[in-house]
């Protein structure tokens, strides 16, 4: 499967007014792509397009709420009307309510699923006809490590991300069966320093935080740009996410115990925040149209992401590790004789 170089692409990015989507939009434009950005926040989109234009890039925007299929379809239609095609569709829009399950209303739970899962489904529905029209392209969906391992206090978001993983697995195999050269990528970030925790609903009585360590949004944006040129099935961003994924695979009860120990206090700051404070669950809020959140001081580097961008090096490292383990087991076996 061959994807175009980024400087020859038309890229639509949904959920682009802040955070990962915003950073990715700027990086695509810097690399020469024509970019269409969308979100609910028109001021955020306008400032993003102005930033891209000031860098010499090409961009336009579409205001849309992803819980409405017709609005999502309008993003795809505008992209093709403006630039003639879609080569890559990046879907990053999400919201959440951080709260014990029993405090979440049915309307809140349904809204998180509508935005965070159904929005992504609608994005694929809107983009696929145009990607098929081109005969190739990339669907890049921003999932979460919560699609592999749910967190307490984030039941609606975790449910939506698990649903997204199930949807993408089914869609990917259907496209392979039909022999469409369209790459379907799930990007699964660990805790990322974006304004997400400023904007979502919270019923903890304090400002919420992700479970540290944090990683910078640029790591996820770099993974998105990599997947736009290199067909990639899954990309876990952040070493802590890779570790949690490994623990969940080998022993879900061990993951339960780990999260029981760290995830409740780990999602609370000491800053009071009322349940009635403005949030973006049902409507956009002002003041957070930026890439980073408030937790740069808790951010650390990620070392294993580069292996995912270099498959020969990755498999060579895994083979070397396996040989090392086998050698150690052989030494221990001989010592037992």
């Amino acid at each position: 499967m061959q994807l175009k170089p980024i400087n020859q692409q038309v890229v639509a990015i949904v959920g682009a007014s802040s955070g990962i989507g915003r950073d990715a939009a700027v990086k695509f434009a810097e690399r020469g792509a024509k970019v269409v950005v969308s979100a609910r926040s028109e001021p955020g989109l306008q400032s993003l397009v102005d930033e891209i234009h000031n860098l010499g890039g090409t961009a336009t925007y579409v205001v849309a709420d992803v819980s409405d299929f017709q609005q999502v379809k309008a993003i795809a239609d505008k992209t093709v009307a403006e630039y003639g095609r879609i080569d890559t569709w990046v879907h990053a829009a999400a919201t959440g309510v951080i709260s014990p399950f029993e405090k979440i209303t049915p309307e809140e739970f349904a809204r998180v699923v509508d935005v965070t899962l159904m929005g992504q489904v609608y994005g694929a529905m809107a983009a696929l006809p145009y990607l098929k029209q081109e005969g190739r392209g990339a669907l890049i969906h921003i999932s979460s490590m919560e699609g592999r391992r749910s967190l307490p206090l984030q039941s609606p978001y975790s449910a939506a991300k698990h649903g997204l993983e199930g949807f993408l697995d089914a869609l990917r195999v259907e496209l392979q069966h039909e022999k469409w050269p369209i790459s379907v990528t799930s990007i699964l970030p660990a805790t990322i320093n974006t304004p997400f925790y400023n904007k979502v609903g919270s019923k903890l009585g304090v400002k919420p935080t992700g479970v540290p360590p944090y990683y910078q949004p640029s790591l996820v944006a770099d993974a998105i740009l990599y997947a736009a040129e290199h067909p990639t099935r899954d990309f876990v961003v952040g070493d802590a996410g890779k570790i949690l994924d490994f623990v969940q695979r080998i022993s879900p009860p061990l993951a339960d115990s780990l999260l029981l120990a760290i995830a409740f206090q780990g999602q609370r700051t000491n800053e009071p925040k009322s349940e009635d404070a403005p949030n973006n669950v049902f409507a956009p809020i002002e003041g957070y149209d930026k890439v980073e959140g408030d937790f740069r001081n808790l951010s650390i580097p990620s070392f294993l992401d580069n292996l995912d961008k270099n498959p020969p090096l990755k498999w060579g490292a895994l083979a070397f590790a396996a040989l090392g383990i086998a050698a150690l087991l052989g030494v221990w076996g001989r010592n037992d004789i």
Side-chain angles (χ1 to χ4, degrees):
M1 187 185 302
Q2 187 75 28
L3 299 175
K4 293 180 183 178
I6 284 174
N7 63 5
Q8 297 176 20
Q9 289 196 24
V10 174
V11 181
I13 304 176
V14 185
S17 61
S18 66
I20 293 163
R22 189 179 186 102
D23 197 28
V26 171
K27 289 186 173 183
F28 272 115
E30 287 178 331
R31 292 270 299 273
K34 296 179 176 66
V35 179
V36 175
V37 293
S38 182
R40 292 178 298 174
S41 170
E42 187 165 17
L45 294 173
Q46 182 65 66
S47 66
L48 173 57
V49 168
D50 289 346
E51 180 181 352
I52 289 171
H53 288 167
N54 290 338
L55 292 169
T58 302
T60 189
Y61 73 84
V62 181
V63 178
D65 183 328
V66 298
S67 67
D68 182 334
F69 172 70
Q70 292 303 323
Q71 293 187 45
V72 179
K73 186 176 182 296
I75 304 167
D77 293 344
K78 175 68 177 290
T79 303
V80 174
E82 192 79 17
Y83 300 122
R85 65 183 189 277
I86 299 172
D87 297 302
T88 294
W89 179 278
V90 180
H91 205 110
T95 190
V97 177
I98 301 179
S99 165
F101 171 69
E102 63 185 9
K103 291 187 176 182
I104 300 172
T105 68
E107 293 78 15
E108 290 168 336
F109 203 109
R111 174 64 177 176
V112 173
V113 172
D114 283 346
V115 171
T116 309
L117 170 58
M118 293 309 301
Q120 301 249 15
V121 172
Y122 296 156
M125 284 180 174
L128 265 175
Y130 290 119
L131 294 175
K132 288 181 176 181
Q133 188 173 297
E134 283 302 299
R136 62 174 169 175
L139 284 171
I140 302 175
H141 292 261
I142 310 308
S143 182
S144 168
M145 268 312 299
E146 291 187 53
R148 297 266 180 93
R149 170 66 227 197
S150 298
L151 292 185
L153 305 179
Q154 293 200 40
S155 56
Y157 184 84
S158 292
K161 293 300 187 181
H162 270 73
L164 175 59
E165 290 300 302
F167 163 63
L168 295 179
D169 284 347
L171 175 62
R172 185 181 295 112
V173 177
E174 288 183 21
L175 291 172
Q176 290 171 353
H177 174 72
E178 295 165 4
K179 296 186 168 39
W180 283 106
I182 295 171
S183 174
V184 178
T185 301
S186 175
I187 306 283
L188 300 109
T191 304
I192 308 298
N193 178 33
T194 71
F196 178 82
Y197 298 101
N198 299 92
K199 298 196 292 184
V200 296
S202 173
K203 299 186 180 184
L204 301 181
V206 294
K207 177 183 170 181
T209 174
V211 179
Y214 276 83
Y215 299 93
Q216 286 295 92
S218 59
L219 287 177
V220 190
D222 290 344
I224 293 168
L225 267 71
Y226 175 82
E229 289 186 312
H230 305 86
T232 303
R233 188 186 195 283
D234 308 290
F235 199 126
V236 177
V237 179
D239 294 346
K242 292 177 173 69
I243 293 168
L244 180 59
D245 186 35
F246 177 74
V247 172
Q248 175 69 13
R249 287 173 186 272
I250 63 169
S251 176
L254 178 58
D256 291 346
S257 297
L258 175 65
L259 293 174
L260 188 62
I262 67 172
F264 288 88
Q265 189 56 41
Q267 294 183 80
R268 301 172 62 91
T269 67
N270 294 322
E271 181 181 331
K273 184 171 183 176
S274 166
E275 294 183 12
D276 299 323
N279 63 67
N280 75 343
V281 176
F282 291 97
I285 58 174
E286 296 181 357
Y288 299 105
D289 295 322
K290 56 186 181 178
V291 170
E292 291 192 28
D294 300 336
F295 301 102
R296 176 181 271 267
N297 62 315
L298 298 178
S299 297
I300 63 171
S302 182
F303 299 100
L304 299 178
D305 289 8
N306 287 328
L307 290 180
D308 289 327
K309 297 175 190 172
N310 191 331
L313 181 62
K314 175 182 178 179
W315 294 115
L318 289 173
F320 182 79
L323 288 172
I325 292 170
L328 286 173
L329 291 174
V331 169
W332 290 337
R334 288 194 298 272
N335 288 342
D336 289 341
I337 295 173

